């Protein structure tokens, strides 16, 4: 760390270091940033601007612009993220329908848009709108019969394969980082890791396009996770326009945290939920200032999306629901059961998915990503088409499952037998016996549930953009709706049972199966991601009322507890581990009794620590040391005997300073003594000119004593965002602990292979 | 800090230290806690329980109970806080009405409850309900005329004086800590300061009772801030029941953070807003686990309050509103103006209130708190009674101002001239010209506004419980409603102006003055407290829709910016400074260029640092040192010459260890050498038995180098919650920096008198 105070305070001998090498202070790819250093660099920059702003009006205006740039970036992120989300929604709508047929009036209309223009506007007539032609009608002019069915089936599979092939090829050729949900990597980046290009413009473009393709292809994946990645790419793009953010990796991460909030905000239409998601799930360093700005970005994004109005209903939220019936205490039991199901599903999914992804990484399977995608798409399409609940898009399915049955509902799920003796207003429908349609729907849903569970495990992790919010919610919603219908029919047919007697009189409102679907969705999402507050708040924003928060919360808590009992890691942490990213989780508690001395290097038996002395090594000595080791920096001590620590020198800066001095400073040769002290050491008369390197010396390296418990050390690494920390005993340097040493030690303590967890 | 690892690792010579002195490790009153130490003590406890739980079933059950105790505490806090809030609401309702009259059927009924039982149920007949008798009717059987008015006036003043006198006397006699809003002190306590009794049972009881009294007395104050204090007292009470929380000051503060969330949750019926308020405004250390639990506590509290149903409308929120009209972009201009007003009000209020409170502290005024309360109550009551907008309770006033005018509204504010030619559904009322009543209301509101502004400045800070959420919101709501009516009439009479032409056609919905009131309330509250996200979320929960978030956010942002331009401190920070609490704000940015060496003590010219040597001081030397100084602890060095640091010994533990050893260990006399090393030093043959004190030595004291920039030091103190930090240069001990040194330095840098800021 270049000490900010020392840098400005000491002489100007090395001032040339600042300008000609603009990359001093930036980091290499796959390296960890030093949060303290970034912060102090920003404070320095801020001080400079403040003091300059008093000099002239222009500088004052510049300082104002600088102060406002944070808000401008947020505004831009919100606008772009909202627009992209809207465009993606519209495109997905159109392309999903393209698998079934085409609009004659304009081929770029989706089924719904096509039929808006026609006169039949009610839901029931939707399929009869003449301008919309199924492929069989268009190609062989037949809409009924086995041959038409097979033709439509084939077209469905062909389109799905085409979309999937296009997507995986685009990802492979142009932007390999565009695959997956992106959230594990974003978590790692936000915790202070550098992955160049992960949030680049190409990734943004390709991810947006391929996201549309894969969602339309009917694969069992969602667009919500990738939308967070897309929003972060927007954030990265806009922060590169302002030097305040582009030149400071710490400040840039503040913008990215806010962008993640905007991403979730547009994915669900839940701005507060988005901010809490960013706070709870994604972010690492989240100061209050960022909270406020994230909220702003999330709101702008949500409003931009609403102005685009992709769902055509002026609603902000993806699944808008309104229930009319209250819930009863006894219903908590099935809700908690759904929570247990969600927890089990989460565990099953994480275990199987990780096992499959590991197999993909380690066996020949990983060499054929295109083939894998094609095969999975083909299987998905072949199995999905015959079942109406898997043929429609997953968001439509969830929407249908969440909905309460109104009187005008034409869905199979609402095929109840009406009691002809009762006359009631249309919106207020009592429990009724289920008709044939409901029973058909039940076994179709059961088949769809099994299919979804299996296929999602194989889909998540392929080399295409894929989110798992929507498939998880679908699994939960299907299970929930089935449980809901079960409870409803039980209550209807046995309304004389004690538990039903008080609240389920015949003819009265009783059970809302849609609410069960929503509770199930929350439970399954919670089991997979281990979200808590943000999950409940997102669901709260979907339902828009406090009424149903208790069922949701009961299910979310149960699901988290059940899932945690089988393993603490959520899917994102599991993927971080699988990929070996150096992510120091804030949530893990480190409770072992080890001390700093057990973790520091050199270990017993290893060669001693490579150190620099303050005034006795020659340029050549140092160059040899640099050549022979690959450490990121070297501690500087008074002498090899006393080993009293005076500072820390970064490898990069050392190399640059020596190169510079050799080129520009006269008299610097291999034999020149390098010194880090204020005054040059006393040298024999004929010795070459010495090289002063105090400017690059970090005079305030972070130290702990060898007796410091590792839990404290872990805490310090987490909270201060250190890269490394020196270990001393009574003032003598003993060793060094880097962030990777900490991670390795934590893995070791958790009985994991420490080498498997490093980035590979 | 007692090093956890070392403590358990080394011998058992001093094991007796743990048991007989249970207060080892607790803190003295008005001292700062050491977060790192508390955390490591909790990990230790946790480790012990985990290892024991494998021994027997009973221990396993105990470990489960321990793991669940956090949730149990949250549940209890939620239940009690919700109940207390409900009771307070009911009691305030009744006692406020008692100032006007009494219910004949049952004297404990409030006006509204009394008239529920009568047959007239519409709003207009409310005043004609025969069971409710004004004092003049009851005492002299006259309801009209000057004498009745004067009698009612007198009774109103008498009751107000009685309530206020009772309140201030109770506070003075039983619980002096029950005064004020409590939020500044809670912020300080949560940041790691000990104020014994501030959250005690007596404070809880007296604050609850006096809160009812002062709110009923009609003083210009609210119950929202004190409710947070009450909830924190509940939190403190319940955490004292579980050893996990009662014995660990760090864990206890997690519970208190959640309790603060529950407090705001019941104050406004806004659970999510409450959690964010706790996160943004009150808490210091807020891990994600606490976030989830806070949410749980806030929800339980909100639902408990709803079951009590004090407002009689099944609504959770205090000011439920539903608007029917959208807002237009051009309206942002008046909204931003209201934001400016809010910022100015915030600045004015903080400046004047702090000046008045300082005068109270420093002059003779502070010696007559009872008289002060009586005088202010008398003045308030005398001025308030004639004006209907100040006579009613402030929450009723805000409620009325927020409300949109429906067709059935009987309020003066809704006295518009109806156009007889129009027939419309009752809920859909277009803009109309204002009638006489609106103009009367306008000047009454203007007078009430001025009165509220002045009287609130003198009220907040008196020796009674007093919150300023409600008065601030009232000021904003009055200003906002006036602006709203102004804009509405402007739009009605000049609907041909360009800006109005598009959205204000005659006969169409146009401007909602109630929305202006709400925006004004948010702006004023934001100006005083500088809340941001939580303010917007609370308002969002009040309106229950995203529709109006943009106006609210625009006003909140503007108000914060305007107020920040005049001074960064919100009212709570200002009161913390006024009282000199050692509060290290997370939000303040420290941007000065000083180094640790500029802040550490001893300063130049001061006597050298008091240190202990590891093996050369006698018991008597140490006792003298302890007697002569009042430091909380002493660094231990190898020897006075080398000054190489080996650890830190706490004063408390040193005193106890010596006392113990003198009593129980044989051969320990004043001449005994004290040693902190593993092995006893080599002593002359006839010297007395040495005293080993390694057990109480903290082997991992926190150190920084003298060249560390103060911004980094401040960051470390904030993030790790340190009490002190030692300063070294090349391994040599130079000095010490305590939390108070940091605070003093920050005050100095901000050009404040450093001595004025210390607790006094």
């Amino acid at each position: 760390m270049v000490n900010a105070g020392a840098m400005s305070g000491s002489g100007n001998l090395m001032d040339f270091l600042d300008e000609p090498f603009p990359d001093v202070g930036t980091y290499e790819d796959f390296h960890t940033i030093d949060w303290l250093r970034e912060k102090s660099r920003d404070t320095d920059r801020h001080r400079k601007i403040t003091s300059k702003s008093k000099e002239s009006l222009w500088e004052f205006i510049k300082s104002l612009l600088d102060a406002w740039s944070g808000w401008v970036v947020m505004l831009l992120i919100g606008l772009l993220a909202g627009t992209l989300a809207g465009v993606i929604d519209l495109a997905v709508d159109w392309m999903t329908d393209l698998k079934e047929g085409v609009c004659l009036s304009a081929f770029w209309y989706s089924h719904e848009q096509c039929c808006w223009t026609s006169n039949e506007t009610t839901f029931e007539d939707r399929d009869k709108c003449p301008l919309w032609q199924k492929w069989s009608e268009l190609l062989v002019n037949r809409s009924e019969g086995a041959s038409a069915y097979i033709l439509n089936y084939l077209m469905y599979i062909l389109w799905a394969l085409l979309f999937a092939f296009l997507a995986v090829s685009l990802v492979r050729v142009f932007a390999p980082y565009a695959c997956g949900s992106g959230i594990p990597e974003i978590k790692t980046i936000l915790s202070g890791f550098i992955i160049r290009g992960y949030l680049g413009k190409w990734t943004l473009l390709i991810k947006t396009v391929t996201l549309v393709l894969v969602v339309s292809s009917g694969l069992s994946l969602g667009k919500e996770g990738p939308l967070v990645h897309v929003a972060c790419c927007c954030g990265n793009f806009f922060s590169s326009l302002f030097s305040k953010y582009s030149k400071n990796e710490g400040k840039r991460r503040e913008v990215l945290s806010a962008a993640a909030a905007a991403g979730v905000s547009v994915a669900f239409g839940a701005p507060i939920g988005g901010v809490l998601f960013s706070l709870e799930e994604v972010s690492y360093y989240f100061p209050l200032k960022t909270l406020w700005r994230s909220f702003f970005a999330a709101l702008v994004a949500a409003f931009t999306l609403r102005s685009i109005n992709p769902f055509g209903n002026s609603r902000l939220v993806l699944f808008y629901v309104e229930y009319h019936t209250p819930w009863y205490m006894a219903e908590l039991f099935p809700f908690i059961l759904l929570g247990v199901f969600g927890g089990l599903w989460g565990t099953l999914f994480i275990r199987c998915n990780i096992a499959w992804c590991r197999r993909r990484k380690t066996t020949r399977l990983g060499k054929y990503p295109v083939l894998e995608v094609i095969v999975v798409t083909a299987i998905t399409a072949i199995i999905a088409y015959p079942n109406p609940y898997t043929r429609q898009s997953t968001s439509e399915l969830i929407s249908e499952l969440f909905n309460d049955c109104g009187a005008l509902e034409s869905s199979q799920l609402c095929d109840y037998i009406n009691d002809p003796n009762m006359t009631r207003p249309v919106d207020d429908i009592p429990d009724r016996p289920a008709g044939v349609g409901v029973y058909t729907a039940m076994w179709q849903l059961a088949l769809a549930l099994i299919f979804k569970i299996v296929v999602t495990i194989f889909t998540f992790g392929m080399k295409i953009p894929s989110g798992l919010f929507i498939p998880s919610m679908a699994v939960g919603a299907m299970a929930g709706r089935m449980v809901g219908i079960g409870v409803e029919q039980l209550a209807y047919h046995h309304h004389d049972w004690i538990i039903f007697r008080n609240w389920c009189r015949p003819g009265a409102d009783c059970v809302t199966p849609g609410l069960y679907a929503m509770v199930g969705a929350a439970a399954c999402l919670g089991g997979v991601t281990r979200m808590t507050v943000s999950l409940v708040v997102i669901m709260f924003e979907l339902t828009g009322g406090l009424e149903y928060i208790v069922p949701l919360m009961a299910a979310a808590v149960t699901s988290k507890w059940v899932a945690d009992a089988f393993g603490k890691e959520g899917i994102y942490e599991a993927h971080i581990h699988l990929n070996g990213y150096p992510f120091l989780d804030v949530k893990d508690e480190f409770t072992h009794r080890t001390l700093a001395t057990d973790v520091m290097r050199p270990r017993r038996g290893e060669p001693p620590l490579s150190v620099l002395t303050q005034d006795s090594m020659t340029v050549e000595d140092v160059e040899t040391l640099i050549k022979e080791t690959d450490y990121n920096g070297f501690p500087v001590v008074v002498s090899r005997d006393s080993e009293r620590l005076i500072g820390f020198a970064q490898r990069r800066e050392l190399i640059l300073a020596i190169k510079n001095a050799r080129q520009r400073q006269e008299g610097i040769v291999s034999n020149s003594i390098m010194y880090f002290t204020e005054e040059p050491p006393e040298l024999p008369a004929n010795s070459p000119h010495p090289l002063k390197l105090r400017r690059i010396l970090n005079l305030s390296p972070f130290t702990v004593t060898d007796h410091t418990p590792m839990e404290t050390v872990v805490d310090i690494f987490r909270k201060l965002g250190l890269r490394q920390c020196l270990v001393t005993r009574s003032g003598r340097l003993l060793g060094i602990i880097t962030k990777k040493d900490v991670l390795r030690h934590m893995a070791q303590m958790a009985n994991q292979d420490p080498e498997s967890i490093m980035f590979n």
Side-chain angles (χ1 to χ4, degrees), chain A:
Chain A
M1 184 171 118
V2 174
N3 180 305
M7 213 164 148
S8 47
S10 63
N12 54 10
L13 180 68
M14 301 287 286
D15 266 345
F16 59 85
L17 242 180
D18 268 359
E19 298 312 323
F21 294 94
D23 52 346
V24 168
T26 61
Y27 300 91
E28 280 166 55
D29 207 3
F30 301 119
H31 274 231
T32 301
I33 71 165
D34 184 333
W35 286 92
L36 268 184
R37 172 192 175 149
E38 296 303 297
K39 195 165 177 198
S40 107
R41 279 179 55 212
D42 183 61
T43 320
D44 238 37
R45 202 191 57 83
H46 192 74
R47 263 197 298 247
K48 229 177 255 169
I49 289 176
T50 316
S51 67
K52 258 193 188 172
S53 73
K54 286 161 198 154
E55 284 169 15
S56 70
L57 188 67
W58 171 233
E59 292 291 345
F60 180 70
I61 292 170
K62 258 167 63 181
S63 80
L64 279 187
L65 288 179
D66 181 78
W68 278 76
S69 61
W71 292 95
V72 174
V73 169
M74 293 301 142
L75 179 71
L76 292 172
I77 290 173
L79 289 173
L80 186 57
T83 310
L84 285 177
V87 169
I88 289 172
D89 282 338
L90 289 173
V92 165
D93 236 32
W94 171 62
M95 287 173 66
T96 305
D97 289 345
L98 201 60
K99 289 189 298 181
E100 291 186 1
V102 72
C103 186
L104 290 185
S105 59
F107 73 90
W108 59 87
Y109 276 180
S110 72
H111 192 153
E112 208 176 332
Q113 287 165 327
C114 189
C115 298
W116 274 345
T117 51
S118 86
N119 290 327
E120 289 82 20
T121 45
T122 61
F123 191 80
E124 281 148 274
D125 296 332
R126 188 176 179 264
D127 286 339
K128 291 165 200 151
C129 126
L131 283 171
W132 179 259
Q133 296 239 301
K134 287 191 177 171
W135 289 112
S136 62
E137 290 171 299
L138 194 74
L139 300 177
V140 299
N141 215 357
R142 294 175 70 164
S143 66
E144 302 288 325
S147 61
Y149 185 84
I150 290 171
L151 182 61
N152 284 328
Y153 198 167
L154 279 177
M155 285 303 288
Y156 182 91
I157 297 169
L158 278 180
W159 279 112
L161 287 175
L162 176 68
F163 293 158
F165 176 74
L166 265 177
V168 69
S169 311
L170 280 173
V171 167
R172 266 182 72 80
V173 176
F174 294 107
Y177 282 146
C179 69
S181 86
I183 293 181
E185 287 79 8
I186 288 168
K187 282 186 78 160
T188 313
I189 290 174
L190 287 180
S191 83
F193 195 59
I194 306 266
I195 308 181
R196 288 264 152 76
Y198 197 85
L199 301 174
K201 286 188 276 289
W202 269 111
T203 311
L204 172 61
L205 185 68
I206 297 297
K207 188 134 195 175
T208 311
V209 172
T210 53
L211 186 56
V212 172
L213 288 167
V214 290
V215 173
S216 313
S217 77
L219 279 163
S220 179
L221 43 77
K223 62 180 173 43
E224 281 62 25
L227 263 181
V228 175
H229 187 180
V230 165
C232 283
C233 290
C234 300
N236 194 45
F237 172 69
F238 288 119
S239 65
S240 71
L241 302 182
F242 295 85
S243 69
K244 183 175 180 179
Y245 297 105
S246 64
K247 289 191 182 159
N248 193 304
E249 292 292 337
K251 294 296 279 181
R252 186 203 294 267
R253 275 159 182 73
E254 288 180 21
V255 174
L256 295 180
S257 294
V264 177
S265 163
V266 288
F268 291 101
I272 302 174
V275 174
L276 287 175
F277 177 82
S278 176
L279 174 68
E280 185 188 359
E281 199 57 37
V282 188
S283 295
Y284 189 84
Y285 172 65
F286 206 87
L288 282 170
K289 222 178 179 180
T290 311
L291 190 71
W292 188 211
R293 289 194 180 161
S294 302
F295 193 58
F296 178 69
L299 268 180
V300 173
F303 271 86
T304 310
L305 180 60
R306 203 179 67 160
S307 339
I308 296 175
N309 197 5
F311 308 119
N313 57 0
S314 284
R315 290 274 179 227
L316 198 52
V317 299
L318 190 52
F319 312 111
Y320 181 79
V321 281
E322 220 170 326
Y323 301 127
H324 306 284
T325 343
W327 57 275
Y328 300 89
M329 281 309 269
E331 286 187 284
L332 272 183
F333 180 70
F335 293 149
I336 285 172
L337 270 189
L338 283 174
V340 173
F341 171 78
L344 293 176
W345 147 255
T347 308
L348 175 82
F349 177 78
I350 292 172
R351 294 244 172 123
C352 297
N353 181 257
I354 290 295
W356 182 249
C357 287
R358 180 163 292 131
R359 171 170 287 261
R360 187 186 290 126
K361 270 179 100 87
T362 51
T363 63
R364 284 177 55 196
L365 183 69
K367 289 184 188 148
Y368 308 103
V370 179
L371 190 65
E372 187 192 0
V373 171
I374 295 291
V375 169
V376 172
T377 312
I379 294 175
T380 308
I382 291 168
I383 302 182
Y385 191 81
N387 188 335
Y389 292 108
T390 46
R391 191 194 309 171
Q392 71 193 137
S393 81
T394 320
S395 358
E396 275 175 40
L397 168 66
I398 297 176
S399 215
E400 189 177 333
L401 293 171
F402 279 9
N403 261 326
D404 204 2
C405 286
L408 296 173
E409 202 67 61
S410 69
S411 157
Q412 254 198 126
L413 280 168
C414 294
D415 180 26
Y416 290 93
I417 298 163
N418 279 313
D419 184 347
N421 298 330
M422 277 208 282
T423 49
R424 279 166 159 277
V426 284
D427 268 352
D428 188 21
I429 293 173
D431 283 348
R432 294 162 297 175
V436 178
V438 174
Y439 289 109
T440 319
M442 285 286 268
W443 67 258
Q444 283 175 343
L445 274 183
L447 288 179
L449 177 62
I450 295 165
F451 167 67
K452 273 276 168 198
I453 287 179
V454 174
V455 83
T456 306
I457 289 169
F458 293 98
T459 305
F460 188 72
M462 292 200 302
K463 295 276 170 235
I464 43 170
S466 56
L468 46 64
F469 278 48
I470 289 285
S472 291
M473 286 174 75
V475 165
M478 286 189 276
R481 185 81 187 206
M482 289 194 292
V483 171
I485 293 176
V487 173
E488 179 198 48
Q489 293 306 313
L490 201 69
Y492 178 81
H493 290 293
H494 301 278
H495 49 77
D496 48 345
W497 288 7
I498 292 172
I499 48 161
F500 298 130
R501 201 173 294 159
N502 288 324
W503 46 287
C504 276
R505 281 177 300 278
D509 282 4
C510 178
V511 177
T512 315
L515 175 62
Y516 283 73
M518 179 165 255
V519 169
C524 283
L525 191 51
V528 172
T529 60
R530 312 292 161 86
M531 286 154 65
T532 53
V533 189
S534 46
L535 176 65
V536 175
V537 172
I538 287 174
M539 289 290 171
F540 161 76
E541 288 187 84
L542 293 186
T543 53
L546 280 173
E547 194 67 49
Y548 302 104
I549 249 186
V550 172
L552 289 168
M553 194 144 168
V557 169
T558 315
S559 142
K560 187 175 157 66
W561 279 334
V562 170
D564 276 352
F566 292 101
K568 283 273 177 197
E569 282 183 339
I571 184 75
Y572 300 132
E573 287 80 34
H575 272 266
I576 285 175
H577 267 177
L578 180 71
N579 291 317
Y581 298 128
F583 179 69
L584 189 54
D585 200 345
V586 211
K587 284 176 224 161
D588 283 351
E589 301 257 335
F590 183 85
T591 53
H592 302 280
R593 277 187 167 175
T594 44
L595 299 179
T597 183
D598 305 325
V599 180
M600 72 177 192
R601 293 197 300 179
R603 305 268 161 74
R604 223 165 291 157
E606 283 182 358
L609 195 64
S610 304
V611 294
L612 304 177
T613 56
Q614 66 176 2
D615 55 2
S616 58
M617 284 172 89
T618 63
V619 169
E620 200 179 3
D621 292 341
V622 176
E623 282 173 333
T624 319
L625 186 66
I626 289 173
K627 215 171 283 163
E628 283 172 359
T629 62
D630 57 353
Y631 303 131
N632 282 325
F634 305 92
V636 180
V637 295
V638 172
S639 70
R640 282 199 197 281
D641 299 329
S642 85
E643 288 206 316
R644 291 207 330 255
L645 180 71
I646 67 157
F648 193 83
Q650 296 277 342
R651 179 195 186 82
R652 274 176 82 88
E653 289 169 9
L654 211 52
I655 294 173
L656 280 171
I658 292 176
K659 191 174 146 200
N660 240 324
R662 275 194 186 263
Q663 283 172 3
R664 308 198 187 180
Q665 252 179 293
E666 271 186 40
I668 300 297
V669 291
S670 298
N671 269 345
S672 296
I673 291 289
M674 280 176 46
Y675 66 100
F676 292 94
T677 47
E678 281 284 10
E679 299 303 319
E682 280 178 33
L683 297 171
N686 60 348
S687 55
H689 199 73
L691 173 56
K692 182 171 180 175
L693 286 182
R694 194 172 177 84
R695 270 299 297 281
I696 64 159
L697 183 66
N698 172 8
L699 286 165
S700 53
F702 223 86
T703 58
V704 294
T705 67
D706 58 337
H707 271 84
T708 310
M710 268 313 283
E711 64 186 78
T712 308
V713 176
V714 171
D715 224 39
I716 294 171
F717 267 89
R718 265 185 205 146
K719 287 193 179 147
L720 301 179
L722 298 182
R723 283 179 96 178
Q724 73 271 319
C725 175
L726 299 169
V727 182
T728 61
R729 180 197 287 160
S730 10
R732 279 214 178 88
L733 181 67
L734 285 186
I736 189 168
I737 297 178
T738 64
K739 190 168 172 185
K740 289 190 182 174
D741 292 327
V742 172
L743 285 166
R744 232 178 252 124
H745 180 70
M746 288 173 78
Q748 218 164 17
M749 288 289 115
N751 291 321
Q752 292 165 333
D753 175 19
E755 291 318 312
S756 81
I757 67 139
M758 277 306 110
F759 192 76
N760 41 36

